[in-house]
């Protein structure tokens, strides 16, 4: 009896040559590093060097997070990945009433250039690649990073990294939006233009399916809605007067990797193929780098369990393997205790060691795309591609990603998928080890890492000191220039940088833009 994949597609017990009848290897596969990039975006993939090993970290104060980053670098991580707390993600200062109880809880609190300076103190920004999981206020954090680099004597053209900067998925699945879609897209276009001139090696957006998957999206939904968002961003930049080949090579993506290895490998291969065709055929991109879907992967936090948390070590290893077999460019492996609390130093180190075992103790880096030609993988790649294209066509029929978001389409589809998963788990049809099968009568005690609640008061004190010391007239003048640019068509990043240099806070800059652009109020799904 056939099983179903996470996307609801049949998985047959046995696959043979008939599964690929009429299948054209030249069209579907190609060569590694060449169109349609099914087999990977680089000819040698990991045979020359492994993927970038990133570890997502950030909690409490900038000082605490800085210490964690230095430990990760010492343990062999190749790139930093910054988690920000919810007030920072929503553009609020730590002493704002709305921030109460959330300061430093799910990431590091960054209120001003002063905090950013501490966060990267003693870390040479010309030697590390930094990814920042920040969306609505992405421009602010990028500019503060640039300012810290300037203070270190690092020219902006030496800075490398990524800002997530994907606000459309916030409306769909995550909720840390600030402004309505149109000004948000304008801000993203301004970031593209600014980085082309000022920070040319920076990846200006990481178009994210990860958070949709964590909300319950199937693999087909994950890539369909992510690529539809990507199309919207490209259209926005082209409409703003940019040539597609001027910015498309700096686009990157962010996906989840689940425990279902076969479908995850197929998903990544299908996503590369779809994106290459879209960029070539719809947008007329000529630069081969514009056709490449380069992506970061994070193992599936939603699949981690608080019950028997050590079992998550196995889950993460399997998920990491799926990402590597699927051809990721960088990888974060979750710590086994993340379903309980922020990871401890030991669990974060174990998560990194998981990647190092995959890279240096297995043979998966010895050859490019080891599953190419597999009957099951090629069939599943075709089927995931077809399912994703069907969903993308529905988004197009609604007028594109923004219009579909405003009608609640993507959110509704993801919620249906999440409900199906919940029903299957509750009924026992979907086995979750330690949760609905193979339980323990008594769970072993585990002491989690806890964030000191005094951090909120400490950040408030830092803000009070900053406001007392700075030149308030200079801050007011810079914020006035920012509002003027937001009301017109000038690139807002230049006056924004001036305001941040003058020690305006994240909340003050975002509030200035709120006064001009307003805030997003979600519409009821149809």
């Amino acid at each position: 009896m056939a099983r179903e994949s996470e996307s609801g597609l049949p998985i047959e017990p046995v696959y043979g040559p008939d599964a690929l009848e009429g299948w054209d290897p030249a069209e579907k596969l190609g060569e590694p590093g060449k169109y349609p990039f099914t087999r990977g975006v680089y000819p040698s993939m990991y045979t020359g060097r492994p993927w970038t090993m990133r570890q997502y970290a950030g909690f409490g104060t900038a000082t605490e997070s800085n210490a964690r980053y230095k430990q990760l670098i010492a343990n062999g991580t190749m790139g930093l990945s910054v988690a920000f707390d919810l007030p920072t993600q929503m553009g609020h200062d730590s002493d704002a009433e709305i921030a109460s109880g959330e300061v430093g809880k799910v990431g590091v609190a960054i209120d001003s250039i002063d905090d950013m300076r501490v966060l990267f103190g003693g870390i040479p920004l010309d030697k590390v690649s930094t990814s920042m999981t920040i969306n609505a206020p992405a421009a602010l954090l990028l500019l503060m990073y640039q300012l810290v680099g300037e203070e270190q004597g690092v020219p902006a053209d030496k800075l490398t990294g990524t800002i997530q900067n994907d606000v459309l998925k916030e409306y769909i699945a995550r909720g840390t939006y600030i402004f309505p879609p149109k000004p948000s897209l304008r801000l993203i276009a301004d970031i593209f233009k600014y980085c082309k001139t000022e920070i040319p090696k920076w990846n200006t957006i990481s178009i994210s399916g990860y958070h949709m998957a964590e909300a319950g999206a199937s693999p087909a939904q994950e890539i369909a809605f992510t690529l539809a968002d990507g199309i919207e961003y490209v259209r926005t930049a082209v409409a703003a007067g940019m040539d597609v080949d001027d910015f498309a090579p700096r686009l990157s993506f962010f996906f989840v990797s689940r425990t279902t290895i076969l479908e995850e490998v197929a998903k990544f291969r299908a996503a590369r193929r779809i994106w290459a065709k879209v960029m070539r055929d719809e947008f007329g991109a000529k630069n081969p780098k514009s056709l490449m879907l380069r992506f970061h992967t994070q193992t599936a936090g939603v699949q981690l369990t608080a019950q028997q948390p050590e079992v998550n070590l196995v889950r993460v290893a399997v998920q990491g393997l799926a990402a590597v077999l699927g051809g990721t460019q960088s990888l974060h492996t979750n710590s086994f205790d993340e379903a309980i609390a922020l990871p401890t130093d030991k669990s974060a180190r174990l998560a990194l060691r998981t990647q190092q075992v995959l890279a240096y103790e297995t043979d998966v880096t010895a050859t490019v795309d080891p599953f190419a030609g597999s009957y099951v993988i090629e069939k599943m790649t075709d089927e995931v591609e077809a399912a994703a294209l069907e969903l993308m066509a529905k988004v197009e029929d609604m007028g594109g990603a923004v219009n579909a978001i405003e009608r609640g389409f993507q959110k509704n589809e993801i919620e249906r998928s999440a409900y199906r998963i919940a029903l299957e788990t509750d009924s026992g049809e979907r086995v979750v080890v330690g949760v609905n099968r193979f339980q323990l009568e008594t769970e072993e005690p585990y002491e989690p890492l806890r964030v000191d609640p005094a951090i909120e008061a400490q950040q408030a004190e830092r803000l009070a000191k900053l406001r007392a010391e700075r030149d308030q007239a200079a801050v007011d003048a810079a914020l006035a220039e920012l509002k003027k640019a937001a009301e017109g068509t000038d690139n807002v990043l230049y006056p924004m940088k001036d305001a941040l240099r003058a020690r305006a806070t994240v909340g003050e800059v975002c509030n200035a833009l709120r006064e001009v652009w307003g805030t997003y109020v979600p519409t009821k799904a149809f």
Side-chain angles (χ1 to χ4, degrees):
M1 181 179 176
R3 284 175 52 180
E4 282 193 350
S5 73
E6 295 288 292
S7 297
L9 304 169
I11 304 178
E12 302 298 334
V14 178
Y15 287 81
D18 57 321
L20 303 182
E21 189 174 350
W23 192 79
D24 183 356
E27 175 194 353
K28 297 285 190 177
L29 274 179
E31 296 297 322
K34 294 183 179 179
Y35 183 89
F37 301 103
T38 309
R39 303 197 61 193
V41 293
Y42 302 123
S44 61
M45 287 303 290
Y46 312 133
T47 60
R49 61 179 293 272
W51 58 93
T52 299
M53 298 180 195
R54 295 192 185 277
Q55 284 305 111
Y56 184 50
F59 62 95
T61 65
T63 300
E64 290 173 293
S65 294
N66 175 265
R68 174 66 64 88
Y69 296 155
K70 288 175 178 174
Q71 288 171 351
L72 288 170
I73 291 169
N75 286 326
T77 193
M78 302 171 182
L80 301 177
S81 188
V82 184
F84 298 96
D85 71 355
L86 281 175
T88 305
Q89 292 181 48
M90 300 291 287
H92 298 294
D93 290 334
S94 294
D95 60 356
E97 184 178 355
I98 196 172
S100 179
E102 292 294 341
V103 176
K105 288 291 179 66
V106 297
V108 62
I110 299 294
D111 290 315
S112 72
I113 183 66
D114 292 19
D115 291 327
M116 202 71 162
R117 199 176 285 128
V118 173
L119 185 65
F120 290 102
I123 298 174
L125 299 191
D126 56 343
K127 299 290 196 300
V128 300
S129 169
T130 301
S131 172
M132 293 187 277
T133 303
I134 194 75
N135 295 284
L140 285 75
L141 278 300
L142 174 60
L143 292 171
M144 286 192 278
Y145 190 85
Q146 182 188 4
L147 287 166
V148 171
E150 290 175 359
E151 292 174 2
Q152 289 188 3
V154 178
D157 62 3
K158 299 294 184 186
L159 298 175
T160 59
T162 305
I163 43 173
Q164 192 162 102
N165 195 28
D166 175 10
V167 76
L168 291 182
K169 66 95 173 48
E170 298 296 329
Y171 306 122
I172 295 171
R174 193 159 176 268
T176 62
Y177 43 72
I178 300 176
F179 316 113
K182 286 185 179 178
S184 294
L185 289 172
R186 179 258 177 99
L187 179 55
I188 288 169
D190 281 356
I191 292 169
F192 287 179
K193 292 177 183 177
Y194 180 86
C195 287
K196 178 181 181 291
T197 303
E198 306 292 341
I199 319 178
K201 293 182 181 177
W202 197 266
N203 295 319
T204 50
I205 195 167
S206 179
I207 307 160
S208 175
Y210 180 87
H211 303 95
M212 299 185 209
E214 292 285 279
S218 70
Q221 289 173 337
E222 179 191 354
I223 63 171
F225 298 148
T226 304
L227 299 186
D229 286 353
I231 290 168
E232 193 82 36
Y233 293 130
V234 174
R235 286 174 179 161
T236 298
V238 170
M242 298 186 72
D243 182 272
V244 67
D245 287 318
D246 282 343
F247 65 89
R250 302 310 318 169
L251 302 178
S252 66
F253 292 80
F254 175 25
F255 295 115
V256 79
S257 187
R258 302 169 180 82
T259 52
T260 44
I261 292 177
L262 301 181
E263 188 175 18
E264 291 302 289
V265 172
K267 176 191 77 178
F268 295 132
R269 299 168 90 252
R272 280 193 292 267
R273 197 154 71 199
I274 294 170
W275 188 248
K277 290 177 182 176
V278 166
M279 294 303 289
R280 184 192 69 174
D281 297 345
E282 179 173 341
F283 295 106
K286 301 293 192 295
N287 185 345
K289 291 183 178 179
S290 299
L291 312 181
M292 294 179 181
L293 183 139
R294 297 170 304 116
F295 63 94
H296 169 71
T297 308
Q298 181 172 334
T299 55
V302 74
Q303 290 189 321
L304 303 184
T305 64
Q307 299 91 335
Q308 303 179 44
E310 294 84 357
V311 178
N312 294 328
L313 287 164
V314 181
R315 293 187 177 101
V316 169
V318 170
Q319 293 161 359
L321 178 61
V324 170
L325 291 171
T328 191
Q329 276 59 72
S330 72
L331 177 62
H332 163 86
T333 35
N334 289 327
S335 301
F336 75 89
D337 50 0
E338 287 189 45
I340 301 170
L342 290 167
T344 63
D345 290 345
K346 182 177 181 179
S347 64
R349 183 170 64 250
L350 281 170
L352 176 60
R353 294 289 183 255
T354 302
Q355 295 200 49
Q356 291 164 338
V357 169
L358 289 174
Y360 302 113
E361 293 192 21
T362 77
D363 56 2
V364 296
T365 60
T367 187
V368 178
D369 191 22
F371 277 175
S374 157
Y375 299 131
V376 60
I377 289 296
E378 300 302 355
K379 183 67 172 178
M380 289 181 78
T381 300
D382 286 354
E383 290 176 342
V384 172
E385 179 185 25
L389 287 171
E390 183 179 347
L391 285 167
M392 292 171 72
K394 290 180 180 178
V395 171
E396 282 296 294
D397 288 345
M398 294 179 189
V402 170
N403 286 343
I405 286 167
E406 290 176 344
R407 294 181 62 181
F409 173 68
Q410 299 97 319
K411 191 171 184 293
N412 263 8
E413 292 294 304
I414 291 169
E415 286 174 353
R416 285 195 196 98
S417 176
Y419 184 59
R420 174 177 61 86
I421 292 168
L423 288 178
E424 291 173 359
T425 303
D426 289 345
S427 70
E429 181 182 351
R430 176 183 294 265
V431 175
V432 182
V433 173
V435 175
N436 60 10
R437 291 272 298 274
F438 315 112
Q439 301 102 318
L440 292 176
E441 288 186 12
T442 313
E443 289 286 337
E444 297 175 9
Y446 181 78
E447 185 59 36
L449 178 68
R450 300 187 189 280
V451 174
D452 187 349
I455 286 169
E456 190 167 323
Q458 293 168 11
Q459 284 298 113
E461 288 173 13
R462 284 176 61 81
L463 282 165
K465 184 171 183 288
L466 174 146
R467 294 187 182 113
E469 292 176 347
R470 70 188 182 184
D471 182 344
Q472 189 61 43
V475 172
D476 292 343
L479 291 175
E481 287 299 311
L482 173 61
K483 287 195 278 190
K484 183 179 176 183
E487 289 165 351
T489 58
D490 290 346
N491 193 313
V492 298
L493 268 74
Y494 291 96
M496 187 183 290
K497 185 182 179 186
D498 291 338
L500 293 167
R501 184 188 284 114
R503 301 173 79 191
T505 68
V506 168
E508 289 165 344
V509 172
C510 289
N511 285 340
L513 294 176
R514 284 183 179 99
E515 289 180 30
V516 179
W517 291 342
T519 55
Y520 177 69
V521 178
T523 54
K524 192 174 182 180
F526 68 94

